[in-house]
Every structure is written in structure tokens, then in C-alpha cells.
Amino acid sequence: MTHTSNIDSATELRRLSRKLKSLRESRDWTLDELAERTGLSKPYLSRLEAGERQPSIAALLSIAQTYSVTVAALFQEEQQAPQVVVRQGQRPLKTGNGLFHTSLSERGGEFNLRPIRVIVPVDRAGGDLYQHDGEEWLYVLSGHLRLILGNEQHLLSEGDAAHFDARTPHRLVAEGETDAELLLVATVAPRPLLGSYL
């Protein structure tokens, strides 16, 4: 009985910590600002958001009043509708394997297709070939791209496309004096795709 109670308490504490952080970030408040509004210390609030401390009733009342929600709402999981549209500039460029890339979908865990915008720098270092499960389709938006695919090499220009089995060792190389930008759609789990692709 005690064991089950401890599990339930830990679950509630994690749920509360996630909700507290979400509420603060949705308002663009820093911990310092929240501390000033609630009258609670910054270290105390930080530990609550990290799930490292159980709050007092007084603290919960103060936090709920600050966010204009009920105490019960602090323990409720947020049900967010899946995002269908990704706006320009909404997803920042990341770097990996000498490339710049950004996901063009917020639905990564739901669907098999992974659309990605990729910029291949003209001075990309290294020469490693990558391979992973699934398939890839790419479309060159600008620049010139050399697609190394196994023992073959293909030169692609703006408007050209390629579709291949991603288990074949491959690499993207920008040709000429400018970066190559492309739209890439892959069918593969996100981590291998962003960690060992192209």
C-alpha cells in the first residue's frame, strides 16, 4: 500500500513540475520574475520545476493565484492539438555532420515521413558516407549538389530530384562556389536520421 502511494506521489510530482515549467515558459517569465510575483524564492521554485521538492499548500495557492488557475489545474496534463502547419522561421537551423538542417514537421512521432530542409555548405569538411534504414527523396532548391551513392556519383542542379534506398552508403557535397539547399524527405526514426544521415 505504501509502495503504491509513493509511486503515485512521484507521478504527481513529475506532472506538477512539467506543468509549472510550462506555465512559466508560456508567459516568457524568468524564475526571478516568478519569484517576485509569488513571493517564493527562486531556488525553491527551481526545485519545484525540477520535481525535486514537494510544495506546501501555501505555495500551491500562491502559484495558482499568480497564474490565475485553480490548484487542481496545476496537476492536469495539457492536451495540445497536433500542430499541422510549420511557419517560416519557426524551427531554427541546427548543425550536424557538417550540415545545417531543420525539421519541417511537428508530427515526427506520428508519421513515417520526415521532411527536412538541408543546407550543404560549400566548404563541408570530411568525406564519410552515411547509411541508415529507410529511404530518402530529395529535391534541390538552389545551388549544385553532388550525390555520392555507393560507387556512383550524380550531379544535381536546381529543380533536380533523387530517390534512393538509404541503406546505400551516401553523402551530399555542394559543388561550385555556393551552398546547396534542398528539401529532403526520409522514412526513418528521427534520432538515426539527424544523427547519422547524409
Side-chain angles (χ1 to χ4, degrees):
M1 186 71 167
T2 303
H3 180 65
T4 303
S5 177
N6 288 341
I7 293 175
D8 292 343
S9 297
T11 300
E12 290 301 318
L13 199 58
R14 283 194 300 272
R15 182 177 294 136
L16 174 65
S17 68
R18 288 194 298 267
K19 187 61 178 271
L20 291 178
K21 187 171 184 179
S22 173
L23 283 168
R24 181 175 60 80
E25 290 180 344
S26 70
R27 288 160 175 76
D28 290 325
W29 292 349
T30 65
L31 280 169
D32 286 319
E33 290 173 315
L34 182 60
E36 185 176 336
R37 292 170 185 267
T38 60
L40 302 170
S41 74
K42 178 181 175 181
Y44 179 76
L45 292 168
S46 177
R47 291 183 67 191
L48 289 181
E49 287 192 7
E52 297 172 354
R53 175 134 188 201
Q54 291 187 353
S56 66
I57 296 297
L60 287 176
L61 288 170
S62 177
I63 292 170
Q65 184 177 19
T66 300
Y67 287 128
S68 299
V69 298
T70 65
V71 172
L74 297 177
F75 294 90
Q76 294 173 353
E77 295 279 5
E78 293 186 34
Q79 299 295 324
Q80 296 182 340
Q83 188 169 346
V84 175
V85 176
V86 175
R87 301 290 180 191
Q88 180 179 356
Q90 182 177 335
R91 303 296 301 265
L93 282 173
K94 300 179 181 180
T95 59
N97 296 330
L99 302 169
F100 298 97
H101 59 83
T102 184
S103 173
L104 298 177
S105 173
E106 296 284 352
R107 313 286 293 269
E110 299 177 67
F111 299 124
N112 295 324
L113 296 180
R114 308 287 189 257
I116 305 168
R117 175 185 169 220
V118 179
I119 297 175
V120 185
V122 69
D123 58 353
R124 183 185 184 193
D128 293 339
L129 300 180
Y130 299 93
Q131 61 187 117
H132 51 83
D133 289 335
E135 57 187 288
E136 289 186 12
W137 175 89
L138 60 84
Y139 177 86
V140 180
L141 297 169
S142 64
H144 299 280
L145 181 77
R146 180 160 47 97
L147 169 62
I148 301 173
L149 191 58
N151 296 323
E152 301 177 357
Q153 296 194 23
H154 306 274
L155 186 60
L156 288 77
S157 299
E158 182 177 333
D160 291 342
H163 191 176
F164 56 92
D165 185 333
R167 292 173 297 183
T168 305
H170 54 280
R171 183 175 181 82
L172 303 179
V173 180
E175 290 287 333
E177 299 180 357
T178 61
D179 298 344
E181 182 175 359
L182 56 124
L183 173 64
L184 183 140
V185 180
T187 56
V188 70
R191 182 172 296 175
L193 176 60
L194 297 180
S196 63
Y197 81 136
L198 312 180

